[in-house]
Amino acid sequence: MPQMIFVNLPVQDLRKSMAFFGALGFSFNPQFTDDTAACMVISDTIFVMLLTHEKFKSFSPKPIADTSQALQVLLTLSRESREAVDAIVTAALAAGGTTTDEPTDYGFMYDHSFLDLDGHAWGVMWMDPGAVQA
């Protein structure tokens, strides 16, 4: 069985968060989605569990970070092209997200970012496969 990752994020309004990420092209696994959690599929081995605050609190004794004051994590997704980076950021902004920066072009790498409805930071990047040495 391949190794998988499940990122858990607290969200204020589960349905709005699902609509936001659905507008970005992500799907949800109904087997692990209910009124308290939604399993967003990033790839065959990467998933983001969107959890209501109540559900999230059941997993951690620490308080949920106030994303208007502090960054708790920076999640970065790769895309197959510069255009795909721009497309997902544009979709995020159209769906109600925000951005705090402009795209950065390093020649061999291109990135941009957005904040989701709950203020979680998402980086999006493309890297020229020829720039990566084995």
Side-chain angles (χ1 to χ4, degrees):
M1 180 175 184
Q3 188 171 19
M4 296 186 273
I5 184 169
F6 292 84
V7 176
N8 295 274
L9 292 178
V11 298
Q12 287 285 344
D13 187 316
L14 184 59
R15 296 294 160 215
K16 284 184 180 178
S17 290
M18 289 177 70
F20 174 83
F21 286 107
L24 275 58
F26 294 106
S27 63
F28 296 89
N29 182 334
Q31 185 178 5
F32 302 107
T33 299
D34 61 23
D35 291 337
T36 64
C39 180
M40 183 170 76
V41 179
I42 303 289
S43 74
D44 290 344
T45 58
I46 304 170
F47 308 90
V48 175
M49 296 299 300
L50 303 175
L51 305 172
T52 62
H53 280 221
E54 296 75 27
K55 182 79 162 193
F56 190 89
K57 288 176 186 175
S58 73
F59 294 114
S60 175
K62 293 185 177 185
I64 293 171
D66 178 355
T67 56
S68 70
Q69 300 296 314
L71 184 63
Q72 63 188 18
V73 65
L74 176 58
L75 306 160
T76 302
L77 301 173
S78 63
R79 286 292 179 256
E80 64 277 358
S81 67
R82 296 168 193 256
E83 295 79 18
V85 169
D86 291 338
I88 194 170
V89 172
T90 298
L93 299 178
T98 59
T99 188
T100 59
D101 63 6
E102 295 295 322
T104 305
D105 189 342
Y106 299 98
F108 70 95
M109 186 171 75
Y110 178 80
D111 69 11
H112 201 186
S113 64
F114 64 89
L115 302 175
D116 67 22
L117 301 179
D118 291 280
H120 303 295
W122 293 81
V124 188
M125 56 82 67
W126 165 85
M127 185 180 300
D128 180 353
V132 180
Q133 296 183 12

